[in-house]
Amino acid sequence: MAGKWGVTFDCAQPAKLAAFWSLALGYVGASPPPGFDTWPDWFVHVGVPEEEWDDGAYLHDPDGVTPGISFLKVPESKVAKNRVHLDVQVSGGRSEASDVRTSRITETVERLVEAGGTVIRADNIDGTLDHMVMADPEGNEFCVV
């Protein structure tokens, strides 16, 4: 049996990065645990000091299909290329016409640039756009495919 898993981003500003990835993936903020109306209510209940309340943010797939994503505040900044990255899959794959794939990729990239992302490069195969390598607002690389 496969184990349950999620993805965690170390970051400086969890709420800001969560907002970016919510837009990129269509994820939503996680609700507080059952029995609590708000996250602060739960934080107080379990004894989390108030100065730590903004140290994390949590997103989940509203359809409950794909893994959750956590954003945890860390003191150090990113200094090297990611060894693992996310692919934001919007093009429909190579079975789609190249103009359709290109349009879907470029529309998504434009939206993510407006939200604070940065284009690193476009990768082409045989002169056709295959994917765009981007960075989120804290420099974490990902691809729009």
Side-chain angles (χ1 to χ4, degrees), residues 31-49:
S31 299
F36 297 91
D37 292 330
T38 66
W39 279 106
D41 290 344
W42 183 81
F43 294 151
V44 168
H45 179 76
V46 299
V48 175

Side-chain angles (χ1 to χ4, degrees), residues 11-20 54 56-57 71:
C11 57
Q13 298 178 305
K16 181 178 177 181
L17 207 55
F20 176 86
D54 293 325
F71 302 87

